Coordinates of all heavy atoms in Angstrom, one line a residue:
M219 N 135.9 66.1 182.2 CA 135.3 67.0 181.1 C 136.2 67.1 179.9 O 137.4 67.4 180.1 CB 135.0 68.4 181.7 CG 134.5 69.4 180.8 SD 134.2 70.9 181.6 CE 133.1 71.7 180.5
E220 N 135.7 66.7 178.8 CA 136.5 66.7 177.6 C 136.6 68.1 177.0 O 135.6 68.9 177.0 CB 135.9 65.8 176.5 CG 136.1 64.3 176.9 CD 135.5 63.4 175.8 OE1 135.3 63.9 174.7 OE2 135.4 62.2 176.0
K221 N 137.8 68.4 176.5 CA 138.0 69.7 175.9 C 138.3 69.4 174.4 O 138.9 68.4 174.0 CB 139.2 70.4 176.5 CG 139.1 70.8 177.9 CD 138.5 72.1 178.1 CE 138.5 72.5 179.5 NZ 137.9 73.7 179.8
T222 N 137.8 70.3 173.6 CA 138.0 70.2 172.1 C 138.7 71.4 171.6 O 138.4 72.5 172.0 CB 136.6 70.1 171.4 OG1 135.9 69.0 172.0 CG2 136.8 69.9 169.9
V223 N 139.6 71.2 170.8 CA 140.3 72.3 170.1 C 140.2 72.1 168.6 O 140.0 70.9 168.1 CB 141.8 72.5 170.5 CG1 141.9 72.9 171.9 CG2 142.6 71.3 170.2
F224 N 140.3 73.1 167.8 CA 140.2 73.1 166.4 C 141.5 73.6 165.8 O 141.9 74.7 166.0 CB 139.0 74.0 165.9 CG 137.7 73.5 166.4 CD1 137.3 73.9 167.7 CD2 136.9 72.7 165.7 CE1 136.1 73.5 168.2 CE2 135.6 72.3 166.2 CZ 135.2 72.7 167.5
L225 N 142.1 72.7 165.0 CA 143.4 73.0 164.4 C 143.1 73.4 162.9 O 142.6 72.7 162.2 CB 144.3 71.8 164.4 CG 145.7 71.9 163.7 CD1 146.5 73.1 164.3 CD2 146.4 70.6 163.7
L226 N 143.5 74.7 162.6 CA 143.4 75.2 161.3 C 144.7 75.1 160.6 O 145.7 75.5 161.0 CB 142.9 76.7 161.3 CG 142.8 77.4 160.0 CD1 141.8 76.7 159.1 CD2 142.6 78.9 160.2
Q227 N 144.7 74.4 159.4 CA 145.9 74.2 158.6 C 145.6 74.7 157.2 O 144.5 74.7 156.7 CB 146.3 72.8 158.6 CG 146.7 72.2 160.0 CD 147.0 70.8 160.0 OE1 146.2 70.0 159.7 NE2 148.3 70.4 160.2
I228 N 146.7 75.0 156.5 CA 146.6 75.3 155.0 C 147.6 74.4 154.3 O 148.6 74.0 154.8 CB 146.9 76.8 154.8 CG1 146.5 77.2 153.3 CG2 148.3 77.1 155.1 CD1 146.5 78.7 153.1
G229 N 147.2 74.0 153.1 CA 148.0 73.1 152.3 C 147.7 73.2 150.8 O 147.0 74.1 150.4
D230 N 148.3 72.4 150.1 CA 148.2 72.4 148.6 C 146.8 72.0 148.1 O 145.9 71.7 148.9 CB 149.3 71.6 147.9 CG 149.3 70.1 148.3 OD1 148.3 69.6 148.8 OD2 150.3 69.5 148.0
R231 N 146.7 71.9 146.8 CA 145.4 71.6 146.2 C 144.8 70.3 146.7 O 143.6 70.1 146.9 CB 145.6 71.5 144.7 CG 144.3 71.2 143.9 CD 144.5 71.3 142.4 NE 144.6 72.7 142.0 CZ 143.6 73.5 141.8 NH1 142.4 73.1 142.0 NH2 143.8 74.8 141.5
W232 N 145.7 69.3 147.1 CA 145.3 68.0 147.5 C 145.3 67.8 149.0 O 145.1 66.7 149.5 CB 146.1 66.9 146.8 CG 146.1 67.1 145.3 CD1 145.1 66.5 144.5 CD2 147.0 67.8 144.5 NE1 145.4 66.9 143.2 CE2 146.5 67.7 143.2 CE3 148.1 68.6 144.8 CZ2 147.1 68.4 142.1 CZ3 148.7 69.3 143.7 CH2 148.2 69.1 142.4
L233 N 145.7 68.9 149.7 CA 145.9 68.8 151.2 C 146.8 67.6 151.6 O 146.6 67.0 152.6 CB 144.6 68.7 151.9 CG 143.7 70.0 151.9 CD1 142.3 69.7 152.4 CD2 144.4 71.1 152.6
S234 N 147.9 67.5 150.8 CA 148.8 66.4 151.1 C 149.6 66.7 152.4 O 149.8 67.9 152.7 CB 149.9 66.2 149.9 OG 150.5 67.4 149.7
T235 N 149.9 65.7 153.1 CA 150.4 65.8 154.5 C 151.7 66.7 154.5 O 151.8 67.5 155.4 CB 150.7 64.4 155.1 OG1 149.6 63.6 155.0 CG2 151.2 64.5 156.5
D236 N 152.6 66.5 153.6 CA 153.8 67.3 153.5 C 153.6 68.8 153.3 O 154.5 69.6 153.6 CB 154.8 66.7 152.5 CG 155.3 65.4 152.8 OD1 155.3 65.0 154.0 OD2 155.8 64.7 151.9
S237 N 152.5 69.1 152.7 CA 152.2 70.5 152.4 C 151.5 71.3 153.5 O 151.5 72.5 153.5 CB 151.3 70.7 151.1 OG 150.0 70.3 151.4
L238 N 151.0 70.6 154.5 CA 150.2 71.3 155.6 C 151.1 72.1 156.5 O 152.2 71.7 157.0 CB 149.5 70.2 156.4 CG 148.4 69.5 155.7 CD1 147.8 68.4 156.6 CD2 147.3 70.4 155.1
S239 N 150.6 73.3 156.8 CA 151.2 74.3 157.7 C 150.1 74.7 158.7 O 149.0 75.0 158.3 CB 151.7 75.5 157.0 OG 152.7 75.2 156.1
N240 N 150.5 74.8 160.0 CA 149.5 75.2 161.0 C 149.3 76.7 160.9 O 150.2 77.5 160.7 CB 150.0 74.9 162.4 CG 150.2 73.4 162.6 OD1 149.4 72.6 162.0 ND2 151.1 73.0 163.4
V241 N 148.0 77.1 161.0 CA 147.6 78.5 160.9 C 147.2 79.0 162.3 O 147.6 80.1 162.8 CB 146.5 78.8 159.9 CG1 146.1 80.2 159.9 CG2 147.0 78.4 158.5
A242 N 146.3 78.2 163.0 CA 145.8 78.6 164.3 C 145.2 77.4 165.0 O 144.9 76.4 164.4 CB 144.6 79.6 164.0
I243 N 145.2 77.5 166.3 CA 144.5 76.6 167.2 C 143.4 77.3 167.9 O 143.7 78.4 168.6 CB 145.5 75.9 168.2 CG1 146.6 75.2 167.4 CG2 144.7 75.0 169.1 CD1 147.7 74.6 168.3
C244 N 142.2 76.9 167.8 CA 141.0 77.6 168.4 C 140.2 76.8 169.3 O 140.3 75.6 169.3 CB 140.2 78.2 167.2 SG 141.1 79.2 166.1
T245 N 139.4 77.4 170.1 CA 138.5 76.7 171.0 C 137.1 76.5 170.5 O 136.3 75.8 171.1 CB 138.4 77.5 172.4 OG1 137.9 78.8 172.1 CG2 139.7 77.5 173.1
N246 N 136.8 77.2 169.3 CA 135.4 76.9 168.7 C 135.5 77.1 167.2 O 136.4 77.7 166.7 CB 134.4 77.8 169.3 CG 134.6 79.3 169.1 OD1 134.7 79.7 167.9 ND2 134.9 80.1 170.1
L247 N 134.6 76.5 166.5 CA 134.6 76.4 165.1 C 134.4 77.8 164.5 O 135.0 78.1 163.5 CB 133.5 75.5 164.6 CG 133.4 75.2 163.1 CD1 134.7 74.7 162.6 CD2 132.2 74.3 162.8
E248 N 133.5 78.6 165.1 CA 133.3 80.0 164.5 C 134.6 80.8 164.5 O 134.9 81.5 163.5 CB 132.2 80.7 165.4 CG 130.9 80.1 165.3 CD 130.7 78.8 166.2 OE1 131.5 78.6 167.1 OE2 129.8 78.1 165.9
Q249 N 135.4 80.7 165.6 CA 136.6 81.5 165.6 C 137.6 80.9 164.6 O 138.4 81.6 163.9 CB 137.2 81.4 167.0 CG 138.5 82.3 167.1 CD 138.3 83.8 167.0 OE1 137.1 84.3 167.1 NE2 139.3 84.5 166.7
T250 N 137.6 79.6 164.4 CA 138.5 79.0 163.4 C 138.2 79.4 162.0 O 139.1 79.8 161.3 CB 138.3 77.4 163.5 OG1 138.5 77.0 164.9 CG2 139.4 76.7 162.7
I251 N 136.9 79.5 161.7 CA 136.5 80.0 160.3 C 136.8 81.4 160.2 O 137.3 81.9 159.1 CB 135.0 79.6 160.1 CG1 134.9 78.1 159.9 CG2 134.5 80.3 158.8 CD1 133.5 77.6 159.8
Y252 N 136.6 82.2 161.2 CA 136.9 83.7 161.2 C 138.4 83.8 160.9 O 138.8 84.7 160.0 CB 136.6 84.3 162.5 CG 137.1 85.7 162.6 CD1 136.4 86.8 162.0 CD2 138.2 86.0 163.4 CE1 136.9 88.1 162.1 CE2 138.7 87.3 163.5 CZ 138.1 88.3 162.8 OH 138.6 89.6 162.9
L253 N 139.3 83.1 161.5 CA 140.7 83.2 161.3 C 141.1 82.7 159.9 O 142.1 83.2 159.3 CB 141.5 82.5 162.4 CG 141.4 83.1 163.8 CD1 142.1 82.3 164.9 CD2 142.0 84.5 163.8
A254 N 140.4 81.7 159.4 CA 140.7 81.2 158.0 C 140.4 82.3 157.1 O 141.2 82.6 156.1 CB 139.9 80.0 157.7
K255 N 139.3 83.0 157.3 CA 138.9 84.1 156.4 C 139.9 85.3 156.5 O 140.3 85.8 155.5 CB 137.5 84.7 156.8 CG 136.4 83.7 156.4 CD 135.0 84.1 157.0 CE 134.7 85.5 157.1 NZ 133.3 85.7 157.6
Q256 N 140.4 85.5 157.7 CA 141.4 86.6 157.9 C 142.7 86.2 157.3 O 143.3 87.1 156.6 CB 141.5 86.8 159.4 CG 142.4 88.0 159.8 CD 142.4 88.3 161.3 OE1 142.2 87.4 162.1 NE2 142.7 89.5 161.6
D257 N 143.1 85.0 157.4 CA 144.4 84.5 156.8 C 144.3 84.6 155.3 O 145.2 85.1 154.7 CB 144.7 83.1 157.3 CG 146.0 82.6 156.7 OD1 147.1 83.2 157.2 OD2 146.0 81.7 155.9
A258 N 143.2 84.2 154.7 CA 143.0 84.2 153.3 C 143.1 85.7 152.8 O 143.7 86.0 151.8 CB 141.7 83.5 152.9
Q259 N 142.4 86.5 153.5 CA 142.3 88.0 153.2 C 143.7 88.6 153.3 O 144.1 89.4 152.4 CB 141.4 88.7 154.1 CG 141.0 90.1 153.7 CD 140.0 90.7 154.6 OE1 140.0 90.5 155.8 NE2 139.0 91.3 153.9
N260 N 144.5 88.2 154.3 CA 145.9 88.7 154.4 C 146.8 88.3 153.3 O 147.8 88.9 153.0 CB 146.5 88.3 155.8 CG 145.9 89.0 156.9 OD1 145.2 90.0 156.8 ND2 146.1 88.4 158.1
N261 N 146.4 87.2 152.6 CA 147.2 86.6 151.5 C 146.6 87.0 150.2 O 146.9 86.3 149.2 CB 147.4 85.1 151.7 CG 148.3 84.8 152.9 OD1 149.4 85.3 152.9 ND2 147.8 84.0 153.8
D262 N 145.7 88.0 150.1 CA 145.0 88.4 148.9 C 144.3 87.2 148.2 O 144.4 87.1 147.0 CB 146.0 89.1 148.0 CG 146.5 90.4 148.6 OD1 145.7 91.1 149.2 OD2 147.6 90.8 148.3
D263 N 143.7 86.3 148.9 CA 143.1 85.1 148.4 C 141.8 84.9 149.2 O 141.6 83.8 149.8 CB 144.0 84.0 148.5 CG 143.6 82.8 147.6 OD1 142.7 83.0 146.7 OD2 144.0 81.7 147.9
E264 N 140.9 85.8 149.2 CA 139.7 85.7 150.0 C 138.8 84.5 149.8 O 138.8 84.0 148.6 CB 138.8 87.0 149.8 CG 139.5 88.2 150.4 CD 138.6 89.4 150.4 OE1 137.4 89.3 150.7 OE2 139.0 90.5 150.1
L265 N 138.2 84.0 150.8 CA 137.3 82.8 150.7 C 135.9 83.3 150.3 O 135.4 84.3 150.8 CB 137.2 82.2 152.1 CG 138.4 81.5 152.6 CD1 138.2 81.0 154.1 CD2 138.9 80.4 151.8
S266 N 135.3 82.6 149.3 CA 134.0 82.8 148.9 C 133.0 82.3 149.9 O 133.3 81.5 150.8 CB 133.7 82.2 147.5 OG 133.7 80.8 147.7
D267 N 131.7 82.7 149.8 CA 130.7 82.2 150.6 C 130.6 80.6 150.5 O 130.4 79.9 151.5 CB 129.3 82.8 150.3 CG 129.3 84.3 150.7 OD1 130.1 84.7 151.6 OD2 128.4 85.0 150.2
E268 N 130.8 80.1 149.3 CA 130.7 78.7 149.1 C 131.9 78.0 149.8 O 131.7 76.9 150.4 CB 130.8 78.4 147.6 CG 130.7 76.9 147.2 CD 130.8 76.7 145.7 OE1 130.2 77.5 145.0 OE2 131.4 75.7 145.3
E269 N 133.1 78.6 149.8 CA 134.2 78.0 150.5 C 134.0 78.0 152.0 O 134.4 77.0 152.7 CB 135.5 78.7 150.0 CG 135.8 78.4 148.6 CD 136.9 79.3 148.0 OE1 137.0 80.5 148.5 OE2 137.5 78.9 147.0
I270 N 133.4 79.0 152.5 CA 133.1 79.1 153.9 C 132.1 78.0 154.3 O 132.3 77.3 155.3 CB 132.6 80.5 154.3 CG1 133.7 81.5 154.2 CG2 132.1 80.5 155.7 CD1 133.3 82.9 154.2
E271 N 131.1 77.7 153.4 CA 130.2 76.6 153.7 C 130.9 75.3 153.6 O 130.6 74.4 154.4 CB 129.1 76.7 152.6 CG 128.0 77.7 152.8 CD 127.2 77.5 154.1 OE1 126.8 76.3 154.3 OE2 127.0 78.5 154.8
E272 N 131.9 75.1 152.7 CA 132.7 73.9 152.7 C 133.4 73.7 154.0 O 133.5 72.6 154.6 CB 133.7 74.0 151.6 CG 133.1 73.8 150.2 CD 134.1 74.1 149.1 OE1 135.3 74.5 149.4 OE2 133.8 73.8 147.9
L273 N 134.0 74.8 154.6 CA 134.6 74.7 155.9 C 133.6 74.2 157.0 O 133.9 73.4 157.8 CB 135.3 76.0 156.3 CG 136.6 76.3 155.7 CD1 137.1 77.7 156.1 CD2 137.7 75.3 156.0
L274 N 132.4 74.8 157.0 CA 131.4 74.5 158.0 C 130.9 73.0 157.8 O 130.8 72.3 158.8 CB 130.2 75.4 157.8 CG 130.3 76.8 158.4 CD1 129.2 77.7 158.0 CD2 130.4 76.7 159.9
N275 N 130.7 72.6 156.6 CA 130.1 71.3 156.3 C 131.2 70.1 156.2 O 130.9 69.0 156.7 CB 129.3 71.3 155.0 CG 128.1 72.2 155.2 OD1 127.5 72.3 156.2 ND2 127.8 72.9 154.1
Y276 N 132.3 70.4 155.7 CA 133.3 69.3 155.4 C 134.6 69.5 156.1 O 135.5 68.7 155.9 CB 133.5 69.2 153.9 CG 132.3 69.1 153.1 CD1 131.9 70.1 152.2 CD2 131.4 68.0 153.3 CE1 130.7 70.0 151.5 CE2 130.2 67.9 152.5 CZ 129.9 68.9 151.7 OH 128.7 68.8 151.0
C277 N 134.8 70.7 156.8 CA 136.0 71.0 157.5 C 137.2 71.1 156.6 O 138.4 71.0 156.9 CB 136.3 70.0 158.6 SG 135.2 70.1 160.0
Q278 N 136.9 71.5 155.3 CA 138.0 71.8 154.4 C 137.5 72.5 153.1 O 136.3 72.4 152.8 CB 138.7 70.5 153.9 CG 137.9 69.6 153.1 CD 138.6 68.3 152.7 OE1 139.5 67.9 153.4 NE2 138.4 67.8 151.5
T279 N 138.3 73.3 152.5 CA 138.0 73.9 151.2 C 138.5 73.0 150.1 O 139.3 72.1 150.4 CB 138.6 75.3 151.1 OG1 140.0 75.2 151.2 CG2 138.0 76.3 152.1
Q280 N 137.9 73.2 149.0 CA 138.3 72.3 147.8 C 138.5 73.1 146.6 O 137.8 74.1 146.4 CB 137.2 71.2 147.6 CG 136.9 70.4 148.8 CD 135.7 69.5 148.7 OE1 134.9 69.7 147.8 NE2 135.5 68.7 149.7
G281 N 139.4 72.7 145.7 CA 139.5 73.3 144.4 C 140.4 74.5 144.4 O 140.4 75.2 143.3
R282 N 141.0 74.9 145.5 CA 141.8 76.1 145.5 C 143.3 75.7 145.4 O 143.6 74.5 145.7 CB 141.6 76.8 146.8 CG 140.2 77.3 147.1 CD 140.1 77.8 148.6 NE 141.1 78.6 149.1 CZ 141.1 79.9 149.0 NH1 140.0 80.6 148.5 NH2 142.1 80.6 149.5
D283 N 144.2 76.6 145.0 CA 145.6 76.3 145.0 C 146.1 76.1 146.5 O 146.9 75.2 146.7 CB 146.4 77.4 144.4 CG 146.2 77.4 142.8 OD1 145.9 76.3 142.3 OD2 146.4 78.5 142.2
N284 N 145.5 76.8 147.4 CA 145.8 76.7 148.8 C 144.5 76.5 149.6 O 143.7 77.4 149.6 CB 146.5 78.0 149.3 CG 147.9 78.2 148.7 OD1 148.7 77.4 148.8 ND2 148.0 79.4 148.1
N285 N 144.4 75.2 150.0 CA 143.1 74.9 150.7 C 143.3 74.9 152.2 O 144.4 74.6 152.7 CB 142.7 73.5 150.3 CG 142.1 73.5 148.9 OD1 141.0 74.1 148.7 ND2 142.8 72.9 148.0
Y286 N 142.2 75.1 152.9 CA 142.2 75.1 154.4 C 141.6 73.8 154.9 O 140.7 73.3 154.2 CB 141.4 76.3 154.9 CG 142.1 77.6 154.7 CD1 141.8 78.4 153.6 CD2 143.0 78.1 155.7 CE1 142.5 79.6 153.4 CE2 143.7 79.3 155.5 CZ 143.4 80.0 154.4 OH 144.1 81.2 154.2
M287 N 142.1 73.3 156.0 CA 141.5 72.1 156.6 C 141.4 72.4 158.1 O 142.3 72.9 158.7 CB 142.4 70.9 156.3 CG 141.9 69.6 156.9 SD 142.8 68.2 156.4 CE 144.3 68.4 157.3
I288 N 140.3 71.9 158.7 CA 140.1 72.0 160.1 C 140.0 70.6 160.7 O 139.3 69.8 160.3 CB 138.8 72.8 160.4 CG1 138.8 74.2 159.9 CG2 138.5 72.8 162.0 CD1 137.5 74.9 159.9
S289 N 140.9 70.4 161.7 CA 140.9 69.1 162.4 C 140.3 69.3 163.8 O 140.7 70.3 164.5 CB 142.3 68.5 162.5 OG 142.8 68.3 161.3
V290 N 139.4 68.5 164.2 CA 138.8 68.6 165.5 C 139.5 67.6 166.4 O 139.6 66.4 166.1 CB 137.3 68.3 165.5 CG1 136.7 68.4 166.9 CG2 136.5 69.1 164.5
I291 N 140.1 68.2 167.5 CA 140.9 67.4 168.4 C 140.4 67.4 169.8 O 140.1 68.4 170.4 CB 142.4 67.9 168.4 CG1 142.9 67.9 167.0 CG2 143.2 67.1 169.4 CD1 144.2 68.7 166.8
E292 N 140.1 66.2 170.3 CA 139.6 66.0 171.7 C 140.9 65.9 172.6 O 141.7 65.0 172.4 CB 138.8 64.8 171.8 CG 137.5 64.8 171.0 CD 136.5 65.7 171.5 OE1 136.5 66.1 172.7 OE2 135.7 66.2 170.7
L293 N 141.0 66.8 173.6 CA 142.1 66.7 174.5 C 141.8 65.8 175.6 O 140.7 65.6 176.0 CB 142.4 68.1 175.1 CG 142.7 69.2 174.0 CD1 142.9 70.6 174.7 CD2 144.0 68.9 173.3
D294 N 142.9 65.3 176.2 CA 142.8 64.4 177.4 C 141.9 63.2 177.1 O 141.1 62.8 177.9 CB 142.3 65.1 178.6 CG 143.2 66.2 179.0 OD1 144.4 66.1 178.8 OD2 142.7 67.3 179.5
A295 N 142.0 62.6 175.9 CA 141.2 61.4 175.5 C 142.1 60.5 174.7 O 143.0 60.9 174.0 CB 140.0 61.9 174.6
L296 N 141.8 59.2 174.9 CA 142.6 58.2 174.2 C 142.2 58.2 172.7 O 141.0 58.5 172.4 CB 142.2 56.8 174.7 CG 142.8 56.5 176.1 CD1 142.2 55.1 176.5 CD2 144.3 56.5 176.1
I297 N 143.2 58.0 171.8 CA 142.9 58.0 170.4 C 143.2 56.6 169.8 O 143.9 55.9 170.4 CB 143.6 59.1 169.6 CG1 145.1 59.1 170.0 CG2 143.1 60.4 170.0 CD1 145.9 60.0 169.1

């Protein structure tokens, strides 16, 4: 049985590899987005409804100084 986790990261405007920091590891997409909203709110940089849609549809926000990215990771699987 494959397990999936969702890695939430935050990075610069271009989501360059060197800028990425881990925010959370979650078991479902809904919780991942909830934690992204909570993290943004804690940093006085709330996510708009459009940015939440970007997370749902593209697994990343765009056009912000600090963007969120969600990576879907299959555990116990060859990559």
Side-chain angles (χ1 to χ4, degrees):
M219 178 179 200
E220 288 184 13
K221 298 271 186 182
T222 303
V223 294
F224 299 84
L225 175 62
L226 175 64
Q227 297 176 295
I228 191 168
D230 62 15
R231 180 171 290 279
W232 303 275
L233 291 170
S234 57
T235 305
D236 290 342
S237 75
L238 295 175
S239 297
N240 297 332
V241 176
I243 300 173
C244 302
T245 57
N246 62 63
L247 184 58
E248 294 79 18
Q249 184 67 19
T250 309
I251 291 174
Y252 170 79
L253 290 176
K255 289 170 34 178
Q256 189 175 22
D257 184 69
Q259 191 174 44
N260 289 345
N261 292 306
D262 294 324
D263 192 20
E264 291 190 38
L265 294 172
S266 68
D267 290 340
E268 182 179 322
E269 291 165 336
I270 293 167
E271 284 295 316
E272 289 174 350
L273 281 175
L274 282 168
N275 295 325
Y276 309 114
C277 291
Q278 67 182 33
T279 57
Q280 302 170 353
R282 299 167 47 93
D283 288 335
N284 295 303
N285 285 294
Y286 290 93
M287 181 172 72
I288 299 170
S289 299
V290 181
I291 301 169
E292 298 291 333
L293 299 177
D294 301 328
L296 291 174
I297 52 172

